Amino acid sequence: MKVFIVPCADKEKSIAALPSVISILKTSGVQPILPESASSYSRDYRAKYMDSDSALRECDMLMTIGGDGMILEWGKKAAAAGKPVLGINTGRVGFMTAIDADETYKLKALAEGSYIVSRRMMLSAELTHSGAPSSFMALNDVVLFKEAGSKLPEFEVRINGAVVTRVRADGIILSTPTGSTAYALAAGGPIIEPTVECIQLTTLCAHTLMNRPMIFSSSDTVTVNVIPYEGSRVYLSADGEHGTEFSPEDSLMIRRSEVFLELAEIGEKNFYNTVGEKLMTPLK
């Protein structure tokens, strides 16, 4: 078995965990692979160094060392390559990670095949911006939000062509079940079990008394347009990235992606136990 390990180079805890991870994998008969860029802070004779594209093709699994942000960054690449992802948490929450940094001894389960893989739905987005189409994927969410200090725009949301809401708000979040425990949760959305396939709509600070989150079928097509007010400016982000300006002439179409993320877990990890541990106790 070959595992491509991607540590968060900006976190000392991630780099500090790397020797232990390499040691456990190597002694378990698993070949560690590191990106060539990692040689600047970790040169270990037990690991193989490759460019990321080649490593993704050759490996059997991608392993991130960091927080959920690392899974968001690398998960889409792994999903496109058809490789499962296992996360080691060195951040604060690590909701999608399999183990914490002090549990690297559990990695011997990989060589034994003692792990499970859950399939996570992703979103496929088609953006028509300034007349030019582009597409991207999101594991957590796609967010439209107004510029700070801007007047409130109106967001029009259609499902399969039918208008379901027009709402004046700071923004809207279209999320997967995996993303329901991220930004959407902070905005008042419900927690959705991650293997459920649906698309969730949550508004940000809507100026109405009749505001509730909405859940759509994963087979639906969601289309969003923005009606500006007195020069209001709106931006779009996917999994916290991009920040593209979204003009009144633009259109956003969201569907369930044909590509799924395979998230590896060690042991009998229970989603609801994780909710209690990660979301209902104070952050350290």
Side-chain angles (χ1 to χ4, degrees):
M1 184 179 190
K2 299 177 182 179
V3 175
F4 179 32
I5 309 167
V6 184
C8 181
D10 298 328
K11 289 186 178 180
E12 292 183 5
K13 290 182 178 179
S14 298
I15 297 174
L18 193 53
S20 174
V21 172
I22 293 173
S23 178
I24 295 290
L25 291 178
K26 195 66 177 179
T27 56
S28 299
V30 177
Q31 174 62 60
I33 303 174
L34 288 172
E36 289 178 338
S37 58
S39 61
S40 62
Y41 53 81
S42 175
R43 195 71 198 180
D44 195 308
Y45 72 92
R46 296 167 297 183
K48 185 177 181 180
Y49 291 78
M50 302 176 65
D51 69 89
S52 295
D53 290 340
S54 299
L56 275 173
R57 286 193 298 269
E58 184 169 323
C59 74
D60 300 296
M61 176 182 289
L62 172 72
M63 181 181 294
T64 62
I65 307 178
D68 288 335
M70 287 293 289
I71 294 180
L72 290 176
E73 178 183 352
W74 285 89
K76 291 183 281 291
K77 300 175 185 178
K83 304 299 172 69
V85 177
L86 185 146
I88 299 175
N89 181 41
T90 60
R92 289 196 301 172
V93 180
F95 202 87
M96 290 187 285
T97 55
I99 61 173
D100 290 327
D102 60 354
E103 299 177 310
T104 53
Y105 61 90
K106 293 183 179 181
L107 294 176
K108 61 183 180 181
L110 298 182
E112 300 166 356
S114 302
Y115 64 93
I116 61 173
V117 174
S118 64
R119 196 172 80 153
R120 300 296 184 92
M121 171 186 153
M122 296 197 297
L123 298 177
S124 174
E126 295 180 16
L127 171 66
T128 301
H129 176 61
S130 300
S134 62
S135 61
F136 53 90
M137 291 191 299
L139 173 58
N140 263 358
D141 49 42
V142 177
V143 182
L144 289 169
F145 56 97
K146 77 176 185 68
E147 184 180 56
S150 171
K151 297 287 187 179
L152 279 184
E154 185 172 88
F155 297 89
E156 180 184 81
V157 180
R158 295 175 179 266
I159 301 298
N160 304 323
V163 176
V164 294
T165 187
R166 289 191 183 96
V167 60
R168 284 176 288 170
D170 281 358
I172 62 170
I173 306 168
L174 290 161
S175 61
T176 63
T178 297
S180 73
T181 53
Y183 194 12
L185 176 69
I191 292 176
I192 303 174
E193 205 280 333
T195 60
V196 174
E197 292 188 11
C198 63
I199 302 173
Q200 177 181 327
L201 169 67
T202 311
T203 56
L204 295 169
C205 300
H207 196 77
T208 174
L209 293 175
M210 304 297 291
N211 176 50
R212 292 291 185 273
M214 302 177 72
I215 295 176
F216 311 122
S217 168
S218 61
S219 61
D220 287 334
T221 297
V222 184
T223 307
V224 183
N225 296 97
V226 172
I227 303 167
Y229 178 72
E230 293 187 357
S232 55
R233 299 183 68 177
V234 174
Y235 292 85
L236 177 148
S237 71
D239 287 341
E241 299 178 343
H242 298 309
T244 302
E245 186 169 0
F246 193 89
S247 68
E249 295 77 24
D250 294 347
S251 179
L252 175 67
M253 184 179 294
I254 299 285
R255 297 186 179 95
R256 176 185 58 190
S257 174
E258 296 298 321
V259 177
F260 288 80
L261 172 69
E262 293 185 326
L263 198 61
E265 300 170 355
I266 297 175
E268 297 181 0
K269 186 175 181 180
N270 182 283
F271 171 72
Y272 299 103
N273 288 342
T274 302
V275 169
E277 293 169 5
K278 303 287 187 178
L279 300 180
M280 299 181 71
T281 56
L283 292 176
K284 296 179 181 180

